[in-house]
Amino acid sequence: MKYVIGIDLGTSAVKAILVNENGEVCGEVSKSYPLIQEKAGYNEQNPEDWVRQTIQALAELVSTCQVQVNDIEGISYSGQMHGLVLLDQNQCVLRNAILWNDTRTTSQCMKIEEEFGEQMLEITKNRVLEGFTLPKILWVKEHEPETFEKAALFLLPKDYVRFRMTGTINSEFSDAAGTLLLHVTRKKWNYDICKRFDIPTEICPPLVESHDCVGALLPNIAEETGLSKKTKVFAGGSDNACGAIGAGILSSGKTLCSIGTSGVILSYEEDKERDFKGKVHFFNHGRKDAFYTMGVTLAAGYSLNWFKETFSPNETFEQVLHGVESVPIGSNGLLFTPYLVGERTPHADSLIRGSFIGMDGSHKKENFVRAVMEGVTFSLHESIKLFRKEGKSVDTIISIGGGAKNNTWLQMQADIFKAKVIKLESEQGPAMGAAMLAAFGSRWFDSLEQCAEEFIREASTFYPKESNVERYEALFNIYEEVYFKTKDLNAALTTFRDR
């Protein structure tokens, strides 16, 4: 039996899975690392934490699965998008990585828009937002000029981990698409953007395809993990591109709902000229010469994790979710908006903050938990509404991530989205997509589609219930109003906090 390993470098943890040639997950190890939040809006991590925990995860996976290491033919990666890792000329990290959910770069975004206007949208197919990589580079240039002067290269999170494991430096198109430096349809760095902001063009790493083999493990990494030095390493993709691959979103008409730390609604695109005018993201897929459109909820699973850690830190998620199935639709008049770190789609607003509305003395913990689940799903539904408005058909949705681990939440998605929702047998999301890129790169299959036919199996299907759909439609109308009615109040509170 042959095997591959998929590594998913998430925001809170790295996960490594061992997958055999039948698509069966034979082992899984997860290792967490801390988030560094020096002040409101700042989110950083130490890249060395990623490397150390990835090596430990691989070592544990190899030792516990008891397979012959020579039978593990390939490794590939999925990773959190947009994060900035700056290296000096000796390839040493210059500062903590600034993450995708960091919102300190509003003024830099304004400068980019002033300089380029709509031209930036034409080049990158995406609006200028705080989460992207270019504003982070400009923030370092402005606020940490000594660090910027030493910067010889930037890498995205999973690309840095792969570099440390192979000694090879590169990025690939699905992750590069989230930097605001890539011409998305031409698949080339746009050096004019760099030059206009006095950024050395050499700072951009070489680009490869997601399934390309970029080298093998360094001898010391092979020794530390127990893997063979001959194990091939493949480039991999962004977490959302790999999530799409791992869910079989490889042709038009398929839609993905992924609830991790953030949440996404993702749809496959073949037409590179499709123009959503920046209303949703448009990125390169992990499948060669393909694309995907995506709406994002910044605090999806993070909202539920925040609630758990704040109010029930000693309970498991299963305990926290206990009883939500018996709470009626609308959580007995309690509504939650998941704007804990701002919002992305449809409101590109880094300052808006979350809220519970309608609280009274009768509400119990399970009301609040269900309200969080409903609020997150409403936010994702706003992206589906945008897709449908642009003429895309969204009638079947594959759900992965935390939202696919609970049947009540899956039924909630079917009712709110008014669509058939499918749960997969093996819900590994981006890690499975990374493993599939390694399998395809290792030439187990002639195409990713062929790999998907072997690796991906449906487990259960949830259909919308008409009576639930009607109630949720009425509640969703109220939810949409909350943003506009609280925006000014949130701005005032932010000003008060920052005095």
Side-chain angles (χ1 to χ4, degrees):
M1 185 69 74
K2 298 182 292 186
Y3 302 87
V4 290
I5 291 175
I7 297 171
D8 178 32
L9 189 78
T11 310
S12 58
V14 60
K15 178 167 70 172
I17 62 172
L18 182 72
V19 183
N20 67 21
E21 55 195 306
N22 297 323
E24 298 165 335
V25 178
C26 303
E28 174 185 339
V29 176
S30 181
K31 297 289 182 182
S32 62
Y33 30 72
L35 188 64
I36 303 168
Q37 297 175 301
E38 294 182 358
K39 59 177 76 173
Y42 282 43
N43 287 282
E44 301 184 353
Q45 281 175 333
N46 182 351
E48 293 308 304
D49 290 341
W50 302 335
V51 176
R52 181 171 59 253
Q53 296 299 77
T54 299
I55 290 172
Q56 289 187 11
L58 289 171
E60 186 173 326
L61 188 70
V62 170
S63 65
T64 56
C65 290
Q66 298 180 340
V67 301
Q68 296 296 316
V69 293
N70 288 330
D71 293 332
I72 301 174
E73 297 194 349
I75 295 174
S76 192
Y77 304 78
S78 159
Q80 49 171 296
M81 294 181 73
H82 312 308
L84 174 66
V85 183
L86 285 174
L87 306 184
D88 65 15
Q89 61 183 0
N90 297 316
Q91 300 174 343
C92 296
V93 173
L94 286 166
R95 70 176 321 281
N96 286 335
I98 306 177
L99 303 190
W100 60 272
N101 53 355
D102 190 287
T103 58
R104 75 183 74 175
T105 58
T106 301
S107 64
Q108 286 73 35
C109 290
M110 293 172 64
K111 289 176 183 177
I112 296 170
E113 289 177 339
E114 289 170 3
E115 180 69 27
F116 277 90
E118 291 297 307
Q119 186 184 3
M120 180 63 74
L121 181 58
E122 294 171 10
I123 297 168
T124 68
K125 303 283 279 189
N126 291 280
R127 293 285 179 192
V128 178
L129 298 173
E130 286 83 358
F132 288 83
T133 315
L134 174 59
K136 296 174 173 58
I137 294 173
L138 296 182
W139 185 92
V140 174
K141 185 173 183 286
E142 180 178 342
H143 293 275
E144 300 175 359
E146 292 181 1
T147 299
F148 182 79
E149 285 298 318
K150 297 176 184 176
L153 181 76
F154 85 86
L155 287 176
L156 296 157
K158 65 115 176 43
D159 298 329
Y160 176 73
V161 174
R162 189 184 59 244
F163 154 63
R164 288 290 302 278
M165 294 179 66
T166 63
T168 303
I169 285 177
N170 42 51
S171 187
E172 46 71 47
F173 299 108
S174 70
D175 232 356
T179 62
L180 289 180
L181 286 167
L182 185 77
H183 195 298
V184 168
T185 57
R186 296 178 185 173
K187 297 172 69 174
K188 295 179 179 179
W189 294 119
N190 189 290
Y191 292 134
D192 181 51
I193 297 174
C194 291
K195 291 173 182 176
R196 298 267 281 271
F197 291 110
D198 294 320
I199 298 171
T201 57
E202 297 80 13
I203 202 171
C204 301
L207 292 165
V208 296
E209 295 287 349
S210 293
H211 63 270
D212 281 349
C213 180
V214 297
L217 294 178
L218 293 168
N220 65 303
I221 299 298
E223 184 178 353
E224 289 182 64
T225 59
L227 289 162
S228 168
K229 290 184 291 186
K230 297 179 181 179
T231 306
K232 294 180 180 179
V233 179
F234 300 89
S238 69
D239 52 0
N240 294 308
C242 285
I245 293 170
I249 311 297
L250 294 163
S251 61
S252 296
K254 292 189 175 182
T255 300
L256 171 72
C257 172
S258 174
I259 300 178
T261 301
S262 62
V264 304
I265 298 294
L266 183 154
S267 188
Y268 185 91
E269 284 287 342
E270 290 177 333
D271 181 8
K272 67 181 182 180
E273 302 304 329
R274 184 76 177 262
D275 186 8
F276 287 88
K277 297 180 172 58
K279 294 176 183 176
V280 292
H281 296 311
F282 192 101
F283 292 137
N284 300 78
H285 202 292
R287 182 180 182 272
K288 187 177 180 180
D289 296 330
F291 306 87
Y292 65 89
T293 51
M294 182 178 74
V296 177
T297 294
L298 288 180
Y302 178 72
S303 290
L304 191 60
N305 186 68
W306 162 81
F307 184 90
K308 173 190 175 301
E309 294 302 316
T310 304
F311 300 106
S312 300
N314 298 319
E315 291 187 338
T316 64
F317 275 107
E318 289 74 17
Q319 290 171 322
V320 170
L321 294 173
H322 178 72
V324 295
E325 69 281 354
S326 61
V327 177
I329 288 173
S331 307
N332 284 322
L334 186 61
L335 188 62
F336 172 74
T337 58
Y339 308 144
L340 300 184
V341 292
E343 191 53 303
R344 183 76 66 83
T345 310
H347 310 295
D349 189 337
S350 64
L351 299 179
I352 193 69
R353 288 296 178 263
S355 59
F356 280 106
I357 295 175
M359 287 182 284
D360 67 39
S362 70
H363 287 135
K364 307 298 182 185
K365 184 185 75 174
E366 55 266 29
N367 297 111
F368 285 89
V369 174
R370 184 172 182 113
V372 170
M373 295 164 69
E374 289 179 335
V376 168
T377 312
F378 282 145
S379 177
L380 293 165
H381 184 54
E382 290 187 296
S383 292
I384 291 177
K385 184 178 176 180
L386 276 175
F387 282 154
R388 286 172 173 160
K389 190 174 181 180
E390 293 295 323
K392 292 184 70 68
S393 175
V394 183
D395 53 20
T396 300
I397 296 170
I398 297 171
S399 184
I400 66 172
K405 297 181 186 299
N406 179 275
N407 285 349
T408 299
W409 206 345
L410 286 162
Q411 185 60 53
M412 187 185 296
Q413 291 171 48
D415 295 334
I416 292 175
F417 299 157
K418 200 176 181 180
K420 179 173 68 175
V421 171
I422 296 171
K423 175 183 170 67
L424 300 177
E425 239 178 55
S426 177
E427 199 290 292
Q428 295 291 348
M432 178 59 78
M436 290 170 65
L437 285 169
F440 174 49
S442 298
R443 300 184 179 179
W444 292 5
F445 304 96
D446 293 331
S447 66
L448 280 171
E449 293 90 331
Q450 190 182 86
C451 181
E453 289 177 8
E454 183 68 30
F455 276 35
I456 301 171
R457 304 172 187 89
E458 296 180 6
S460 53
T461 303
F462 296 78
Y463 295 90
K465 299 176 181 179
E466 192 57 40
S467 60
N468 293 352
V469 169
E470 291 176 2
R471 296 192 68 188
Y472 273 128
E473 284 178 342
L475 188 60
F476 178 68
N477 290 335
I478 300 171
Y479 173 88
E480 286 188 296
E481 289 295 315
V482 175
Y483 172 81
F484 300 101
K485 292 184 183 300
T486 62
K487 183 177 181 180
D488 290 342
L489 288 173
N490 273 281
L493 286 169
T494 299
T495 301
F496 178 81
R497 180 199 65 196
D498 294 340
R499 282 180 182 173

